[in-house]
Amino acid sequence: MQADVAIIGCGPTGALLGNLLGARGLSVAIFEKQPAIYDLPRAVHFDGETMRVFQSAGLAEAVLPETRVNPGMLFKDPAGRTLIDWSRDMSIGPMGWPESYRFHQPGLERVLRAGLARYPNVRLHESTAVTAHRQDDTGVTLTTDKGTYGAAHVVACDGTGSPTREALGIGLHDLGFHERWLVVDLRLTRDRPDLGDHSIQFCDPERPATYVRCVGPRRRWEMRIDSGDPDHFAPDEIWRRLSRWITPADADLERAAVYTFRSRLAARWREGRVFLAGDAAHQTPPFMGQGMCAGIRDAANLAWKLAAVHHGVDPAILDTYESERAPNARAFIQLAADMGQLINQTVQGHLPQGRMRSIWPDLGPGLGPRDGIGGALAPQVGRADDAAPTGFHLLTRAPFDADLPAAQGAEDWLAERDLFGVILRPDGYALDHAATPEGLHEALARHADLLDAVPPRRL
Ligand SMILES: Cc1cc2nc3c(=O)[nH]c(=O)nc-3n(C[C@H](O)[C@H](O)[C@H](O)COP(=O)(O)OP(=O)(O)OC[C@H]3O[C@@H](n4cnc5c(N)ncnc54)[C@H](O)[C@@H]3O)c2cc1C
């Protein structure tokens, strides 16, 4: 069997990529070795940009019931004093969605997998492990425990331990953070409003910990453990460690796991026709809730480029996947690792005080100019992204006659940058821009081949 794209691994990265490629009409085969969705505690936060990507896959409405808008995070010292306030705006922000959401990862993954069923051109092979791959100039052959499959391109979304990355001999750059943490999910059996709606980072060199107010009755605690601690904790020991916050009188223990939090980037994200995406390409300590978001951004970046290549665009465009994505992912990993160090600071170590703001790093070098505007995440006006069949559209200061839909309403953003208009890519980043209507026509002409080649989405 021959697919346009084969995806190895159906975690959030692979499942979203399958949706985005399916929507553009490509034939997609997804291979997932497990029979069911992973059910140990992992992601509980995603940002407004991620919600915008779910919107681009036609899944925002289905994702929303799985979420809760997040008021932000406080960093506290052992005496309970707030050291840093990272409160988030809970109203609609520049992405067209609130800045920050809480969610339950298995629930989100169920929505993403259900989305795949919209596309007869997408097939999910569950309980099917990819054991080897071989590529030549024409395509890639995957060997699985159920048979062999061919594809023009392969995206390995096979997680932290990525067997594909290993098989390709691609190493990892280590940004230096690795710590073992115990992660516990509880379900409240009675109200505990005193725990609060903000997440809390307990900055304590002896016992650094994180509290997260999740969706519905779920609450999360993460606690750093020692190198000598075991990989599994008995319930009694978990309750002992939680006792300063909560007891069995208030909640049931739902699930617990021990993880080593890491900060690493794959040395290369592409080998010929095979790409790495998600945790296979990068691993982020979870303090900013950005690891999965990075994989979602990978899928959003790669999907329309793969679709363009399958409609005749020069495959060289695929080199911009790593060049654009890696610096953006690195910026989040570095900040998350810095936050991890902060949480471990000594009280006497004079933790910085003040407010923290979210970051929106630009893409690295790639398509279009890099001048502080090209490659920057551009705002969404209303649901303007939806009005664009291919995802490419314009934000302009005045009505503008072009083949792409043009939305108005981002006057401040455009005026601050002395722009008449900007061309947005399907992933929400600025492709190009101009100070005048004539300049915008010229910019559109420069990118005409790409704009014409990317097929429309069927949502
Ligand atoms: C405690 C914790 C908290 C976190 N909190 C957050 C958070 O708040 N926000 C956030 O954005 N991120 C968070 N993360 C990170 C997030 O969970 C991961 O980044 C995300 O799950 C990665 O998705 P993925 O699809 O790339 O990989 P995975 O979810 O790991 O999926 C990989 C899939 O590939 C499959 N696979 C592997 N090998 C093969 C093979 N040979 N053949 C077939 N299938 C294969 C696996 O079975 C698996 O299903 C957290 C992580 C942890 C551990």
Side-chain angles (χ1 to χ4, degrees):
M1 261 178 290
Q2 181 77 20
D4 292 329
V5 179
I7 298 171
I8 307 174
C10 196
T13 309
L16 176 72
L17 183 63
N19 277 280
L20 295 174
L21 293 170
R24 294 196 190 270
L26 273 67
S27 62
V28 181
I30 310 178
F31 301 97
E32 170 54 57
K33 69 178 178 184
Q34 298 296 343
I37 287 170
Y38 184 84
D39 199 31
L40 286 177
R42 293 201 292 175
V44 284
H45 168 269
F46 65 72
D47 59 22
E49 180 187 356
T50 300
M51 189 52 137
R52 187 179 181 180
V53 176
F54 295 145
Q55 176 197 341
S56 79
L59 293 172
E61 298 306 321
V63 168
L64 267 181
E66 305 291 329
T67 66
R68 182 175 199 283
V69 176
N70 171 34
M73 182 180 280
L74 304 172
F75 293 69
K76 301 226 177 214
D77 72 7
R81 288 178 299 231
T82 299
L83 299 164
I84 300 175
D85 181 344
W86 187 17
S87 285
R88 311 291 196 102
D89 189 344
M90 294 173 75
S91 56
I92 301 295
M95 293 300 101
W97 299 95
E99 201 184 319
S100 171
Y101 289 90
R102 291 287 168 209
F103 77 109
H104 182 58
Q105 183 166 343
L108 173 75
E109 291 194 37
R110 271 192 287 279
V111 171
L112 297 178
R113 286 200 189 187
L116 297 173
R118 295 174 295 174
Y119 303 112
N121 45 318
V122 177
R123 174 132 184 244
L124 171 59
H125 303 257
E126 284 169 312
S127 303
T128 307
V130 174
T131 52
H133 75 268
R134 186 168 43 79
Q135 60 174 311
D136 59 25
D137 291 346
T138 57
V140 190
T141 305
L142 294 182
T143 307
T144 78
D145 52 3
K146 306 266 169 66
T148 57
Y149 298 83
H153 292 99
V154 167
V155 187
C157 307
D158 47 359
T160 307
S162 176
T164 311
R165 190 189 64 228
E166 295 283 310
L168 291 169
I170 297 176
L172 292 159
H173 294 308
D174 192 337
L175 305 194
F177 187 93
H178 17 77
E179 285 184 353
R180 294 177 78 224
W181 283 61
L182 168 64
V183 181
V184 183
D185 279 351
L186 304 174
R187 292 178 75 101
L188 292 181
T189 49
R190 70 176 184 89
D191 274 357
R192 281 288 309 273
D194 56 302
L195 292 170
D197 287 341
H198 278 73
S199 303
I200 300 174
Q201 301 287 4
F202 297 96
C203 305
D204 181 340
E206 301 301 324
R207 296 182 298 175
T210 306
Y211 158 77
V212 182
R213 197 269 193 237
C214 301
V215 184
R218 282 202 173 85
R219 300 292 181 274
R220 156 82 54 93
W221 274 270
E222 303 179 358
M223 295 162 277
R224 196 189 70 194
I225 57 174
D226 295 331
S227 52
D229 279 323
D231 282 336
H232 298 283
F233 284 77
D236 284 356
E237 177 59 14
I238 293 175
W239 283 116
R240 193 186 69 74
R241 291 182 186 235
L242 288 170
S243 59
R244 60 180 160 144
W245 299 292
I246 194 158
T247 71
D250 293 338
D252 291 333
L253 194 58
E254 186 180 29
R255 47 191 203 162
V258 168
Y259 292 99
T260 301
F261 295 165
R262 298 181 194 281
S263 52
R264 304 193 298 194
L265 278 159
R268 283 178 290 123
W269 294 24
R270 176 184 185 184
E271 180 73 43
R273 293 173 169 274
V274 179
F275 299 82
L276 304 180
D279 277 17
H282 42 70
Q283 294 128 38
T284 311
F287 305 112
M288 293 179 72
Q290 280 291 341
M292 182 195 78
C293 299
I296 298 300
R297 291 187 186 98
D298 295 344
N301 185 293
L302 190 53
W304 59 270
K305 293 176 182 172
L306 280 169
V309 169
H310 282 264
H311 284 79
V313 164
D314 184 342
I317 192 177
L318 297 173
D319 285 334
T320 67
Y321 163 61
E322 177 181 346
S323 67
E324 291 188 341
R325 284 289 312 129
N328 176 286
R330 177 184 277 266
F332 281 107
I333 296 172
Q334 193 60 64
L335 186 55
D338 291 349
M339 275 176 67
Q341 302 297 359
L342 197 73
I343 298 161
N344 284 302
Q345 297 258 347
T346 59
V347 193
Q348 299 80 9
H350 307 298
L351 274 167
Q353 299 207 354
R355 285 186 65 84
M356 178 163 159
R357 291 193 193 289
S358 306
I359 58 166
W360 307 102
D362 291 357
L363 298 175
L367 297 172
R370 289 295 178 272
D371 49 9
I373 303 167
L377 191 55
Q380 173 173 214
V381 177
R383 291 281 175 269
D385 293 0
D386 287 345
T390 65
F392 284 106
H393 65 288
L394 308 170
L395 289 182
T396 53
R397 279 167 94 166
F400 181 74
D401 190 20
D403 288 340
L404 293 183
Q408 287 83 53
E411 280 85 10
D412 290 351
W413 191 86
L414 293 167
E416 277 166 22
R417 293 161 181 78
D418 287 327
L419 295 179
F420 170 75
V422 58
I423 309 172
L424 267 71
R425 313 173 354 161
D427 52 15
Y429 287 82
L431 175 66
D432 214 332
H433 56 85
T436 62
E438 301 71 39
L440 194 54
H441 280 299
E442 287 164 19
L444 285 167
R446 277 198 294 281
H447 301 288
D449 289 349
L450 178 62
L451 299 178
D452 289 345
V454 175
R457 300 168 294 183
R458 288 178 292 123
L459 300 177

